[in-house]
Amino acid sequence: MSGVERIEQVFRKLNQAGSAAFMPYHAMGYPTRQQSLDVITTLAEAGADLVEIGIPHSDPLADGPTIQTATYAALVGGTTVVDCLQMVRELRAKGVDTPFCAMSYYNPILAYGEESFVAAAASAGVDGLIVPDLPPGESELLEPACREAGLATIYMLAPTSTEERIRSVARHATGFIYLVSVTGITGARDELPPGLPAFVERVRRHTELPLAVGFGISTGPQAAKVAEIVEGVIVGSALVKAAGSDAGVEAVRSLAEQLAVGSHNGKVV
């Protein structure tokens, strides 16, 4: 089964159950290499339906201070692209079978070699790829390589996206489309933006792909509200902050379980 098919299977199963997917993000190598493996294993155990594997980058433009701090610490600790893929292999060898989407900025992929990176990612056990700073119109090499390897190509849309951009993403995306809930960077927020439902409906007019919302979600009740209007709930900063706390993995487990319940609308899936 290809990565695209594995992601599609998750959304199909959850749709039949009347639930949205809980989709946590974690930065590989943070707080340490082993702890990041423990965090991702814990997220899978706590109800994650798909995990975003963050590949650290020195200039994460879309990320807020929490994830910037985490990725910087991972880089200082020696985390590389090669090491991130090796960690994916180790997680798969341990039996973690939750679909993984690697989230990386373009420069590390370019330095690795686009086709080589996609082949290595697929071999390691990655199912999809999110590149925040690579629009579909500039992915002439990466997208065909993903298609050949069976990896999903996930693109982002923001509330400021034009109709033309929405149509372009709808044509090129596979797996799901990532909707950025606010104009700005990642980070936990107290309230969801009031314009989110209208933004979701704008995108739905152009695609039948599952839609997942990220940026700003940090609590179970917020996840539940998002799950009412889209197929996926993405949470990053709040969980990364928990991973870096004194309670570490246990703090991640507690928060992830609440977010999973919210995303699943109180249902066990």
Side-chain angles (χ1 to χ4, degrees), residues 15-230:
N15 182 60
Q16 292 169 352
S19 298
F22 169 43
M23 304 162 65
Y25 162 96
H26 189 67
M28 300 299 280
Y30 179 77
T32 66
R33 186 184 196 280
Q34 183 57 51
Q35 285 173 309
S36 68
L37 294 174
D38 294 342
V39 165
I40 292 169
T41 301
T42 298
L43 290 170
E45 294 171 349
D49 301 295
L50 182 152
V51 178
E52 289 186 17
I53 301 295
I55 296 178
H57 180 49
S58 59
D59 193 19
L61 296 176
D63 294 309
T66 298
I67 293 178
Q68 285 187 19
T69 299
T71 55
Y72 177 75
L75 289 171
V76 170
T79 304
T80 65
V81 174
V82 171
D83 196 33
C84 288
L85 297 181
Q86 177 57 31
M87 284 188 270
V88 170
R89 292 188 189 92
E90 292 172 23
L91 288 162
R92 293 305 193 206
K94 286 176 57 179
V96 179
D97 61 0
T98 307
F100 290 154
C101 284
M103 189 167 189
S104 172
Y105 289 86
Y106 182 57
N107 276 349
I109 296 173
L110 182 63
Y112 195 106
E114 291 168 284
E115 294 177 344
S116 297
F117 173 82
V118 169
S123 175
V126 171
D127 298 287
L129 187 59
I130 305 169
V131 186
D133 57 345
L134 185 68
E138 299 176 17
S139 56
E140 296 91 347
L141 290 178
L142 197 65
E143 197 173 301
C146 286
R147 189 161 50 244
E148 183 175 343
L151 296 190
T153 51
I154 296 112
Y155 293 103
M156 289 179 157
L157 288 170
T160 52
S161 294
T162 63
E163 295 299 307
E164 181 181 354
R165 174 63 183 267
I166 293 172
R167 285 193 294 268
S168 176
V169 164
R171 286 195 304 270
H172 290 267
T174 54
F176 65 94
I177 296 175
Y178 190 136
L179 304 187
V180 177
S181 69
V182 294
T183 303
I185 56 176
T186 61
R189 291 171 172 84
D190 293 333
E191 297 180 355
L192 295 171
L196 183 58
F199 172 37
V200 169
E201 287 308 309
R202 283 181 61 215
V203 179
R204 284 211 190 279
R205 289 198 291 267
H206 298 282
T207 184
E208 294 183 357
L209 283 174
L211 305 181
V213 167
F215 286 39
I217 303 164
S218 60
T219 69
Q222 286 179 335
K225 287 183 179 179
V226 172
E228 292 176 358
I229 59 172
V230 291

Side-chain angles (χ1 to χ4, degrees), residues 26 30-31 66-67 70 188 236-248 251-252 255:
H26 189 67
Y30 179 77
T66 298
I67 293 178
S237 296
L239 287 163
V240 171
K241 184 177 180 179
S245 70
D246 292 340
V252 170
L255 179 55

